[in-house]
Amino acid sequence: DVKVTQSSRYLVKRTGEKVFLECVQDMDHENMFWYRQDPGLGLRLIYFSYDVKMKEKGDIPEGYSVSREKKERFSLILESASTNQTSMYLCASSWTGDVYGYTFGSGTRLTVV
Amino acid sequence: DAKTTQPPSMDCAEGRAANLPCNHSTISGNEYVYWYRQIHSQGPQYIIHGLKNNETNEMASLIITEDRKSSTLILPHATLRDTAVYYCIVYNNNDMRFGAGTRLTVKP
């Protein structure tokens, strides 16, 4: 089975801290994605990447950046965490043309205090 | 823009069929209809997808109308473990946009 692993299940950080959320997939997928999920808003796409060192903005990139130095790893960076970034963060990956769509990780619940 | 419309919530009795509707009136010819579900505190899980023919797998059936403007996900014998949020998505190999989905509650 494809596995998408997010490094932390729960994370508590202070306002102003730089936060790194890590995601690793083990099936050589080209594409990787970061979403955040908030009650009543569904999943919203933050950033995605179709290849190493490539990145594209999703619908809500403000306050975030990403890094993809290796194919299997896609990092989401909160440069200066704020309380409105408290959320569930979900990573996903896929092959281009994969008819089964995306495989998701279990999520990281980030609380910024 | 999620491009799909789903009811926010539905209930279903355990053992009965759960029929979850989705409208996607602006779907284009090369876009697939995908269904995912998300059980509390987990990442979304793929259920089924289709282009224009009806599809069935071990989890569910997908009925797509002839004009492709709407579809229905059918869980033939719902169990309590099917309680989840169900997302209908139109997708063609680009980034996948999720709406708010339908919260299905299966009741004993």
Side-chain angles (χ1 to χ4, degrees):
Chain A
D1 279 353
V2 176
K3 278 202 175 156
V4 177
T5 303
Q6 295 184 229
S7 54
S8 303
R9 190 81 175 97
Y10 298 95
L11 209 53
V12 180
K13 295 292 181 181
R14 293 193 181 278
T15 300
E17 274 194 79
K18 190 169 186 176
V19 181
F20 292 85
L21 302 183
E22 306 288 347
C23 176
V24 177
Q25 49 92 5
D26 66 358
M27 281 300 290
D28 203 36
H29 283 174
E30 301 106 326
N31 311 316
M32 297 188 75
F33 307 83
W34 275 106
Y35 292 85
R36 66 177 281 178
Q37 183 171 32
D38 302 288
L41 296 177
L43 281 76
R44 293 180 291 166
L45 183 63
I46 306 172
Y47 266 99
F48 56 101
S49 168
Y50 289 147
D51 201 351
V52 175
K53 297 193 185 293
M54 291 184 66
K55 60 184 178 182
E56 299 286 342
K57 293 180 179 179
D59 295 328
I60 52 163
E62 297 78 20
Y64 303 94
S65 62
V66 289
S67 172
R68 191 155 181 215
E69 296 296 319
K70 293 185 178 181
K71 192 173 187 180
E72 68 270 18
R73 185 180 297 270
F74 193 35
S75 303
L76 180 69
I77 303 158
L78 287 65
E79 295 290 342
S80 177
S82 63
T83 54
N84 63 12
Q85 293 177 310
T86 291
S87 186
M88 170 70 89
Y89 290 88
L90 288 155
C91 175
S93 70
S94 74
W95 278 305
T96 300
D98 184 357
V99 295
Y100 293 104
Y102 293 13
T103 301
F104 281 84
S106 297
T108 295
R109 184 165 294 283
L110 172 67
T111 302
V112 182
V113 296
Chain B
D1 195 353
K3 299 169 66 173
T4 62
T5 304
Q6 299 176 253
S9 64
M10 293 181 64
D11 291 341
C12 177
E14 188 179 17
R16 304 298 293 266
N19 298 294
L20 291 88
C22 180
N23 287 324
H24 32 79
S25 57
T26 60
I27 193 170
S28 58
N30 57 356
E31 286 183 316
Y32 286 76
V33 179
Y34 275 75
W35 283 83
Y36 283 74
R37 75 179 183 184
Q38 186 176 23
I39 295 170
H40 183 62
S41 297
Q42 298 181 21
Q45 173 195 23
Y46 167 85
I47 301 173
I48 199 167
H49 74 282
L51 185 62
K52 46 187 171 182
N53 297 323
N54 299 336
E55 303 287 345
T56 296
N57 63 20
E58 65 278 3
M59 290 181 70
S61 295
L62 175 60
I63 309 298
I64 302 174
T65 57
E66 195 169 340
D67 63 6
R68 302 208 327 123
K69 293 185 176 181
S70 65
S71 61
T72 301
L73 178 75
I74 301 171
L75 309 178
H77 305 286
T79 71
L80 299 179
R81 284 185 284 186
D82 291 322
T83 292
V85 178
Y86 288 78
Y87 297 98
C88 168
I89 300 149
V90 293
Y91 173 63
N92 178 29
N93 205 33
N94 295 314
D95 42 280
M96 195 172 276
R97 254 64 172 188
F98 289 74
T102 296
R103 180 172 297 278
L104 175 69
T105 303
V106 181
K107 299 186 172 180

